[in-house]
Amino acid sequence: MVSVYRWHLAPDGLATRRQLRALGLRPGGQDVVAELHRPRRRRGPLVAYLYRIDRARPVRPMTPGRAAALATAMRARRTCPNCRTDMGYCIPRSLGMCVPCHDNGTATPTWRATP
């Protein structure tokens, strides 16, 4: 059973993932200690999970292998499947291709099955 706190009322010593990251830390396998609820008018509350700062571990350093894998993944997200060019921006998943190919209208997205 985790404790539930309202927005801005969490005790000191607890932090969200983003707050831990700003401190150069990560949860390090610990379980969620508490939840932070931010009420909204017409929907359910926003929920943030809190972790203990004293049990957090330092962020692992970026190794050359991890940097190369990240660069390869980002290059794949920037490459259009139709014209095979690196567009310099992440291809919108809603289009499935770069904006010029989509605006041209001649190519069909590779992720859609053609009838």
Side-chain angles (χ1 to χ4, degrees), residues 10-66:
D12 292 336
L14 300 180
T16 63
R17 282 182 177 269
R18 285 188 180 196
Q19 291 169 338
L20 287 176
R21 187 63 177 204
L23 296 172
L25 301 171
R26 62 186 169 94
Q30 64 175 305
D31 292 331
V32 173
V33 177
E35 291 181 359
L36 187 67
H37 286 211
R38 179 179 178 202
R40 297 191 288 181
R41 291 182 185 218
R42 293 184 179 94
R43 294 180 280 179
L46 289 174
V47 178
Y49 300 110
L50 300 174
Y51 302 91
R52 290 180 47 177
I53 295 175
D54 59 347
R55 295 182 68 196
R57 295 182 180 167
V59 176
R60 291 185 219 134
M62 182 67 73
T63 62
R66 288 175 64 196

Side-chain angles (χ1 to χ4, degrees), residues 46-98:
L46 289 174
V47 178
Y49 300 110
L50 300 174
Y51 302 91
R52 290 180 47 177
I53 295 175
D54 59 347
R55 295 182 68 196
R57 295 182 180 167
V59 176
R60 291 185 219 134
M62 182 67 73
T63 62
R66 288 175 64 196
L70 182 61
T72 302
M74 291 306 294
R75 189 177 323 108
R77 289 183 65 192
R78 291 190 313 260
T79 303
C80 176
N82 291 322
C83 61
R84 298 285 181 202
T85 57
D86 187 344
M87 298 307 294
Y89 58 86
C90 288
I91 304 297
R93 292 184 61 187
S94 60
L95 301 179
M97 62 187 80
C98 65

Side-chain angles (χ1 to χ4, degrees), residues 95-110:
L95 301 179
M97 62 187 80
C98 65
V99 176
C101 286
H102 180 264
D103 290 344
N104 191 9
T106 57
T108 59
T110 56

